[in-house]
Amino acid sequence: MFSGTKEKANNRLRRKWLTYFLIIISFLWLLIFGLQPPLWSQDLLSRLALAQDFVSRRISSFDRTGGNRDYLVIEPGETAVLAEIKGPAAIHHIWVTIAAEPFYGRKLILRMYWDGEKNPSVEAPIGDFFGVGHGLLRNFSSLPVNCSSEGRAKNCYWYMPFQKAALITVTNEGAERVRAFYYYIDYRQLRSLPAETFYFHAQYRQEMPCIPNQNYLILEAKGRGHYVGCNLSVLQRSMGWWGEGDDMIYVDGEPFPSLHGTGSEDYFSDAWGMREDENPFYGCPLQEDDFLEGAKATVYRFHLPDPIPFKKSIKVTIEHGHGNDRSDFFSSVAYWYQQEPHQKFPPLMAVNERLPFALATPPQFIFPRWEATAAEDRVVFEDKEAGLKLVATKASQARTSYYNQTGERYPVILTEAARPGTKVEISFPVDVTDRYNIDFYLLKGPMMGNFRAAPITETKEAESGQLGSTAFSGYSAEKELGILSLEDRRLAAGQNCFLLEVEGKEAAAEGMEIGFVGLSLSPSFRKFVREWNILGPFDAPDLESLQKPYPPETEVNLEKKYPGKGGTTISWVRVKAEESGYVRLEEILQPNEQAVAYGLAYVFSPEPMASTILLGSDDAVRVWLNDVLVHSKAVYRGAAADEDKISVELQPGWNKLLVKVLQGAGGWGFFLRFADPDNKLQYSLKTESQSKAFF
């Protein structure tokens, strides 16, 4: 009796554990293949051996004319349609790479519309959608989103099904044209969709600053669906660890969150703070580890194995600091699936409000890398590589909240206990004697005073009267950057010194400090050679062709014809450069790959003159002045004005100028001008005295 009872008990126990085992297996099966359509449909390794019941399709930016311009150009304010697709179908991969102005990741808006809806189901700055905030570029790798090529190649693998139609657009809200927008949109044409197919959604939000005593809102959605994750970007407005905020997720209108976390880094699956890392479901592409004002972070958490379902609504929030006691700038993108219709998104903030501390400086900007040396009566800051030097009585170095296109924060040198008469001496090198605009980048704020700038003579005294009362008011209720511009100044090659001297302060200011950030030096006027005689293309299969002599190097006959590349007959043509000074050869000459062309012009000097040729080319280049080779550079590059500097001696009268430009692939052209601070030179296509000169 006892033995039988024990056996029955054991059988019941075995059946009980078997039941538990089957429940667990069923749950895991549903979790992976039932509740999570993205994983089921992503062709993961376990599904590759099964027959695929769909047809692969792609829409891309390939050149419809058969050429190699496989990209879109998007003007400011323009909306480009990337794809219009008929369903039933599902997008399973999107790739983009973009050439555009700095911080384009926050300036280009990606939108997706399903089944003819008026309001987008996806609306986010393109950089944030692909996982990195602040308008910056960073590499990282997760399961649904990847960025490589220093953040320039952006990929997403979110599964995006639709029944009737898909419309995908990009709007350029920047100030400049998008020079090149390359993309792939890979999708599968399907026979049908399951009856309860949820649609993909993504929404950008921001609070700058976060609202006091209130959780930051990542997502608020109504309907039926499941939340699958987010990325969060933080820009600190005070020092210290930005996290410690608990995540709180409210499902179906519950008064208290059924999912309550223990801290920001805990929700993003890390611990004891955040550090840069990448994993399939969580990670951190960006974290500046000084945790001072201006430090930035971007973190992500994807609920792919653990989606959070909702039947009526969901509200995903997180504290900013413990108890919402910080005023950091938060921005985010939430990703979720739901049945349509969805709740209309609030309007996006303007570009400047999305990028309050992004500051793109010009290429000539000197970003100081200071080394400090203390003396008894002064402190000296030097950037030896840039040749920049700053001398002050008392000063210290800090970092601002402003950051450049690489994400690096601008440094600032701050005086201490400044008063009227306090001076800061700044010296910087100039390569070429010319006329320049000088922009001093200066920190404004409650502690900043008023001061003026003047050049320093060899006796270290300010040149009286040259700048008059030109001054800079440093006061601002909030910290911000200002620019003091000195226009059209003749600067000699070598070190040039300027003095910033405190004059006083605004009534509301709490101090008279000077905050020096950096400076930009640019030519005040570039008088390019605008009119050229052009001959080409000649065949040039490699860079060695730069040394091969073609007819213009031995004779110049503007009436003669020559055999050119591809069996063509070529002759000299008159060409005018663009307003920028650029001679765009690929639009003038055909064929325009692996080719050489020549430009011929004449420059008139009223007297013997030492000058500098300032040149930029795409690609390799040679220059002759009066039939003497003065420059040769075998290089594969894009053209930038004034990139090469060539010291030359001009003869009185007309001087013959010959330029040879070799092209590999892509762009082809050049800029050329002479440094001419006193405006003495004239340019012409011919040497005859009656020739018209072009300025």
Side-chain angles (χ1 to χ4, degrees):
M1 173 84 58
F2 180 80
S3 176
T5 302
K6 185 177 180 180
E7 183 64 28
K8 289 179 181 178
N10 288 337
N11 288 337
R12 285 197 299 269
L13 184 61
R14 281 193 291 270
R15 286 196 298 271
K16 180 179 179 181
W17 281 112
L18 180 60
T19 301
Y20 288 162
F21 176 78
L22 292 174
I23 290 173
I24 291 170
I25 293 299
S26 299
F27 174 78
L28 291 174
W29 181 268
L30 288 172
L31 182 64
I32 296 173
F33 299 116
L35 296 179
Q36 188 52 280
L39 285 180
W40 172 264
S41 303
Q42 284 297 86
D43 289 344
L44 295 178
L45 297 179
S46 63
R47 305 292 299 169
L48 289 178
L50 301 180
Q52 307 297 305
D53 190 20
F54 61 83
V55 178
S56 291
R57 293 285 184 260
R58 172 181 296 158
I59 296 175
S60 76
S61 56
F62 79 92
D63 189 340
R64 271 62 175 171
T65 69
N68 195 38
R69 295 197 175 186
D70 297 321
Y71 55 83
L72 302 182
V73 173
I74 310 175
E75 299 293 339
E78 181 183 354
T79 295
V81 174
L82 304 187
E84 293 182 276
I85 308 171
K86 292 183 178 180
I91 296 166
H92 52 234
H93 173 234
I94 299 176
W95 166 87
V96 300
T97 190
I98 303 163
E101 64 184 291
F103 311 112
Y104 70 77
R106 275 269 165 97
K107 298 177 180 180
L108 306 182
I109 305 301
L110 177 68
R111 293 183 174 92
M112 301 184 193
Y113 305 79
W114 311 126
D115 293 352
E117 61 186 352
K118 294 183 179 180
N119 300 313
S121 290
V122 172
E123 184 176 57
I126 200 161
D128 295 82
F129 177 83
F130 284 96
V132 181
H134 311 289
L136 298 176
L137 303 174
R138 290 293 186 276
N139 284 351
F140 80 98
S141 181
S142 72
L143 190 59
V145 181
N146 293 273
C147 292
S148 59
S149 183
E150 300 175 345
R152 297 173 298 182
K154 306 176 190 299
N155 290 270
C156 89
Y157 299 90
W158 290 112
Y159 188 70
M160 307 178 191
F162 51 93
Q163 183 66 47
K164 297 178 182 178
L167 171 64
I168 304 178
T169 69
V170 168
T171 301
N172 179 7
E173 294 188 357
E176 301 176 17
R177 68 163 49 177
V178 175
R179 302 184 300 278
F181 190 103
Y182 296 84
Y183 68 92
Y184 280 30
I185 297 174
D186 293 315
Y187 65 99
R188 54 189 67 182
Q189 206 78 56
L190 301 170
R191 297 177 185 273
S192 62
L193 294 176
E196 289 196 339
T197 297
F198 293 171
Y199 283 23
F200 177 78
H201 292 71
Q203 180 193 11
Y204 173 85
R205 285 181 176 269
Q206 70 175 57
E207 290 178 11
M208 299 184 180
C210 289
I211 301 170
N213 304 313
Q214 180 176 312
N215 285 13
Y216 174 75
L217 180 63
I218 294 174
L219 170 63
E220 187 169 27
K222 294 181 179 180
R224 184 182 174 208
H226 45 268
Y227 167 65
V228 293
C230 72
N231 64 65
L232 175 69
S233 294
V234 180
L235 195 153
Q236 292 190 213
R237 301 305 301 128
S238 57
M239 70 174 65
W241 165 229
W242 59 264
E244 296 307 326
D246 294 353
D247 58 297
M248 303 179 195
I249 302 177
Y250 303 77
V251 177
D252 295 338
E254 57 194 5
F256 300 101
S258 53
L259 295 97
H260 193 303
T262 58
S264 304
E265 73 270 44
D266 307 336
Y267 173 67
F268 290 101
S269 301
D270 213 328
W272 307 104
M274 299 296 302
R275 69 278 306 146
E276 293 185 6
D277 193 14
E278 54 191 82
N279 297 281
F281 307 131
Y282 70 93
C284 177
L286 170 64
Q287 175 64 73
E288 293 179 303
D289 58 8
D290 62 352
F291 297 106
L292 297 175
E293 181 180 353
K296 299 179 293 299
T298 292
V299 292
Y300 64 87
R301 169 72 159 93
F302 298 135
H303 295 267
L304 303 190
D306 57 338
I308 301 174
F310 55 94
K311 296 179 180 179
K312 298 178 182 178
S313 65
I314 191 168
K315 186 176 181 180
V316 182
T317 72
I318 195 166
E319 294 176 308
H320 44 96
H322 177 66
N324 295 316
D325 58 355
R326 294 178 62 92
S327 57
D328 296 324
F329 288 9
F330 276 21
S331 53
S332 61
V333 173
Y335 309 92
W336 75 102
Y337 288 83
Q338 75 164 87
Q339 290 178 329
E340 295 290 1
H342 67 278
Q343 186 172 262
K344 184 179 179 181
F345 300 167
L348 294 175
M349 306 299 286
V351 167
N352 63 326
E353 295 178 87
R354 299 197 294 264
L355 290 165
F357 290 105
L359 179 67
T361 47
Q364 303 85 3
F365 180 83
I366 300 175
F367 193 110
R369 312 289 181 183
W370 295 117
E371 294 181 10
T373 304
E376 185 175 338
D377 60 343
R378 64 179 185 169
V379 59
V380 178
F381 295 88
E382 287 188 272
D383 182 337
K384 294 181 181 179
E385 184 175 348
L388 188 63
K389 186 176 181 180
L390 184 149
V391 180
T393 304
K394 290 183 180 181
S396 59
Q397 181 180 179
R399 283 202 280 185
T400 71
S401 296
Y402 287 87
Y403 60 93
N404 67 6
Q405 40 269 53
T406 71
E408 189 171 8
R409 307 208 303 274
Y410 291 95
V412 58
I413 302 297
L414 290 166
T415 60
E416 298 177 7
R419 59 185 185 275
T422 294
K423 299 179 177 64
V424 173
E425 181 181 321
I426 300 169
S427 61
F428 53 88
V430 171
D431 293 335
V432 176
T433 300
D434 207 346
R435 304 195 73 84
Y436 295 90
N437 294 331
I438 309 164
D439 288 334
F440 292 102
Y441 286 73
L442 304 159
L443 184 65
K444 302 182 71 171
M447 295 294 296
M448 301 298 140
N450 298 338
F451 50 91
R452 65 185 297 271
I456 302 175
T457 66
E458 292 180 359
T459 60
K460 302 298 181 183
E461 296 176 356
E463 291 182 331
S464 59
Q466 182 173 354
L467 295 179
S469 59
T470 300
F472 180 83
S473 176
Y475 172 75
S476 175
E478 300 289 339
K479 291 179 183 178
E480 60 183 65
L481 287 189
I483 299 176
L484 173 59
S485 297
L486 308 180
E487 297 182 351
D488 197 29
R489 303 289 166 179
R490 192 183 197 279
L491 301 180
Q495 287 295 117
N496 287 259
C497 298
F498 281 77
L499 198 69
L500 304 181
E501 182 174 352
V502 175
E503 293 184 324
K505 71 181 186 68
E506 302 295 327
E510 301 172 18
M512 301 183 189
E513 308 305 337
I514 295 174
F516 178 79
V517 175
L519 67 88
S520 175
L521 194 67
S522 59
S524 58
F525 176 69
R526 287 183 170 121
K527 191 170 78 173
F528 290 100
V529 182
R530 293 284 307 281
E531 293 265 336
W532 291 89
N533 298 297
I534 298 293
L535 179 65
F538 294 99
D539 186 46
D542 50 45
L543 278 179
E544 293 181 1
S545 302
L546 186 67
Q547 302 177 33
K548 176 183 175 180
Y550 295 85
E553 297 178 33
T554 56
E555 67 170 1
V556 172
N557 185 341
L558 298 180
E559 308 301 323
K560 192 171 180 180
K561 299 181 184 298
Y562 301 92
K565 182 178 176 66
T568 60
T569 299
I570 58 176
S571 58
W572 291 93
V573 294
R574 176 174 171 171
V575 170
K576 189 167 185 177
E578 298 174 357
E579 290 295 324
S580 65
Y582 188 55
V583 181
R584 194 175 300 276
L585 293 173
E586 79 269 17
E587 293 187 357
I588 301 167
L589 304 177
Q590 296 290 337
N592 56 21
E593 291 193 0
Q594 298 180 343
V596 154
Y598 289 83
L600 172 69
Y602 295 86
V603 55
F604 181 85
S605 177
E607 59 192 13
M609 182 187 302
S611 185
T612 302
I613 296 175
L614 297 150
L615 169 73
S617 65
D618 184 346
D619 295 301
V621 64
R622 276 192 164 189
V623 180
W624 291 262
L625 184 66
N626 296 321
D627 297 320
V628 175
L629 181 66
V630 294
H631 183 63
S632 181
K633 197 162 193 174
V635 64
Y636 187 69
R637 66 182 182 185
D642 299 356
E643 190 168 11
D644 299 342
K645 301 174 178 62
I646 310 153
S647 297
V648 295
E649 296 288 336
L650 290 170
Q651 301 174 2
W654 290 104
N655 294 261
K656 178 185 173 184
L657 179 66
L658 184 68
V659 181
K660 177 182 186 179
V661 184
L662 182 149
Q663 195 261 8
W668 187 21
F670 65 96
F671 299 89
L672 191 144
R673 71 182 182 96
F674 286 79
D676 186 19
D678 302 314
N679 199 26
K680 292 182 177 181
L681 304 180
Q682 298 179 355
Y683 306 129
S684 177
L685 291 170
K686 297 181 180 180
T687 59
E688 288 83 3
S689 59
Q690 70 271 23
S691 293
K692 182 179 180 181
F694 297 92
F695 295 88

